[in-house]
Amino acid sequence: MLTPEEWQVLVLSLKVSGVAMGAALPIAFALAWMLARWRFPGKVLLDALVHLPLVLPPVVTGWLLLIAFGTNGPLGRFFADWLGLTFIFRWTGAALAAAVMALPLMVRAMRLSIEAVDRRLESAARTLGAGRWRTFASVTLPLAMPGVLAGLVLGLARSIGEFGATITFASNIPGETQTLPLAIYSALQMPGSEWQVTRLAVLSILVSVVALVASEWLARRSGQGSAHHAL
């Protein structure tokens, strides 16, 4: 059984990940759509920037977030002045770091799903009188939805396991920014906390495995659905 403090860590982790996914989902889908369907100068550069958090050390990503969204950062000052939203030493900062680190995985899964949609079905819908938005809502989005959901689940798993960018940008504050990985790190620093580390590690593994299995199932369903429509 988990202690009240460990339940608090789990709830905070789910809260941070849920908010991160809610904020990242529309941005990830828009970027995936642009990379899958549009042709424009600088597309290769945009693709590289989107996937940069995958190859950068997470600490560097956290440092860049600190520069941009810190108290004196341009974006941090904007959000504080206009929306009353601060990120430093707040759970919102942990959510922002989680969203940034999960974004590349989400974009990639969604982009592959959008690219797999048979454009002939969209053309047929337009020929039958459907407008652009109706075609998108009734044909494109349903066919791409399994990939969108797979990207969302993958992003959720990645955000739950986020450590480096979070501790650099939002710090490790119990009850405020201490998510599962940070709680495990803190417990490792204390003598005699082996059982606490074990409980939190097993919990983290279970959550990640469930997310990955769900993502794989959705990806397979997406592939089967694309093959069915192609026939």
Side-chain angles (χ1 to χ4, degrees):
M1 294 295 294
L2 299 178
T3 66
E5 292 77 14
E6 291 166 352
W7 276 112
Q8 183 183 46
V9 168
L10 176 60
V11 171
L12 179 61
S13 298
L14 296 177
K15 175 184 176 181
V16 165
S17 299
V19 171
M21 292 304 94
L25 179 59
I27 298 173
F29 187 84
L31 289 171
W33 185 269
M34 291 174 61
L35 294 172
R37 294 293 181 91
W38 292 10
R39 293 183 179 179
F40 55 91
K43 181 177 178 179
V44 175
L45 178 60
L46 176 62
D47 192 18
L49 290 175
V50 167
H51 291 87
L52 195 59
L54 285 179
V55 295
L56 275 180
V59 174
V60 175
T61 302
W63 175 70
L64 293 174
L65 288 174
L66 191 61
I67 293 175
F69 290 90
T71 305
N72 297 319
L75 295 177
R77 191 180 303 114
F78 170 80
F79 279 100
D81 293 343
W82 292 93
L83 300 177
L85 186 62
T86 58
F87 298 99
I88 297 297
F89 308 134
R90 297 288 310 280
W91 69 269
T92 49
L96 176 60
V100 169
M101 296 302 295
L103 189 68
L105 294 176
M106 298 173 68
V107 171
R108 181 166 181 79
M110 294 177 190
R111 178 183 180 179
L112 292 175
S113 185
I114 293 170
E115 290 175 341
V117 173
D118 192 341
R119 302 291 289 271
R120 294 173 296 179
L121 295 174
E122 296 175 326
S123 299
R126 297 292 297 273
T127 301
L128 294 174
R132 178 175 299 178
W133 287 107
R134 185 176 179 184
T135 299
F136 171 79
S138 61
V139 177
T140 309
L141 187 58
L143 290 176
M145 185 56 67
V148 173
L149 294 176
L152 186 63
V153 174
L154 271 177
L156 180 66
R158 179 64 185 86
S159 64
I160 290 176
E162 165 51 31
F163 174 81
T166 301
I167 198 171
T168 304
F169 177 54
S171 190
N172 183 11
I173 305 173
E176 183 65 40
T177 66
Q178 191 178 75
T179 56
L180 271 171
L182 274 65
I184 294 172
Y185 173 78
S186 296
L188 284 170
Q189 312 305 310
M190 297 185 298
S193 60
E194 289 80 7
W195 280 113
Q196 181 182 7
V197 173
T198 301
R199 289 195 301 270
L200 292 174
V202 169
L203 181 62
S204 180
I205 291 170
L206 288 175
V207 172
S208 299
V209 167
V210 169
L212 290 173
V213 169
S215 175
E216 179 66 20
W217 178 78
L218 289 171
R220 289 179 180 274
R221 182 180 177 184
S222 176
Q224 294 172 356
S226 298
H228 173 75
H229 285 292
L231 294 175

